[in-house]
Amino acid sequence: MTYYSVLAVTPNDDGWIPDYLPVAGSVIARHGGKYLARTTSHEQLEGQDSPAGLRIILEWPSEEAAKAFMADPEYAPHLQARTAGSDSVHFLIAGKDDLA
């Protein structure tokens, strides 16, 4: 089953970004993931204000692939840098409709 990572990331220190981008991209691809959106162009249409600098959507071939990416030793120091240098929220969402 396809899974999606949906992130809201607001950097509070940009120092981690130049090293993060190429490594994250290659590790994501190695685990079968791909970016669907990675943008500052977003608009909240509903709910309590939840601002973020970036909205990111990744597609994964499976839950296991997404979790393997998050646990990848090559990614670990970059994840630590991102979480230390930003306010981040990451949801992993199953590509299914439980209400159908």
Side-chain angles (χ1 to χ4, degrees), residues 85-97:
S86 70
D87 295 321
S88 299
V89 178
H90 182 174
F91 294 93
L92 184 60
I93 301 170
K96 63 178 184 169
D97 184 348

Side-chain angles (χ1 to χ4, degrees), residues 58-100:
L58 293 155
E59 182 179 81
W60 301 101
S62 66
E63 178 181 17
E64 294 78 19
K67 290 182 176 178
F69 161 71
M70 292 298 293
D72 191 299
E74 184 181 355
Y75 180 60
H78 301 282
L79 173 60
Q80 183 179 11
R82 177 177 62 78
T83 56
S86 70
D87 295 321
S88 299
V89 178
H90 182 174
F91 294 93
L92 184 60
I93 301 170
K96 63 178 184 169
D97 184 348
D98 290 334
L99 304 178

Side-chain angles (χ1 to χ4, degrees), residues 14-89:
D14 293 346
W16 59 272
I17 296 173
D19 292 334
Y20 180 92
L21 293 176
V23 173
S26 69
V27 177
I28 286 166
R30 188 170 62 236
H31 289 282
K34 66 178 180 177
Y35 285 104
L36 298 181
R38 182 172 48 170
T39 183
T40 60
S41 300
H42 51 85
E43 177 182 0
Q44 184 171 339
L45 298 178
E46 188 176 348
Q48 185 174 356
D49 189 30
S50 182
L54 292 163
R55 301 289 177 167
I56 301 157
I57 303 172
L58 293 155
E59 182 179 81
W60 301 101
S62 66
E63 178 181 17
E64 294 78 19
K67 290 182 176 178
F69 161 71
M70 292 298 293
D72 191 299
E74 184 181 355
Y75 180 60
H78 301 282
L79 173 60
Q80 183 179 11
R82 177 177 62 78
T83 56
S86 70
D87 295 321
S88 299
V89 178

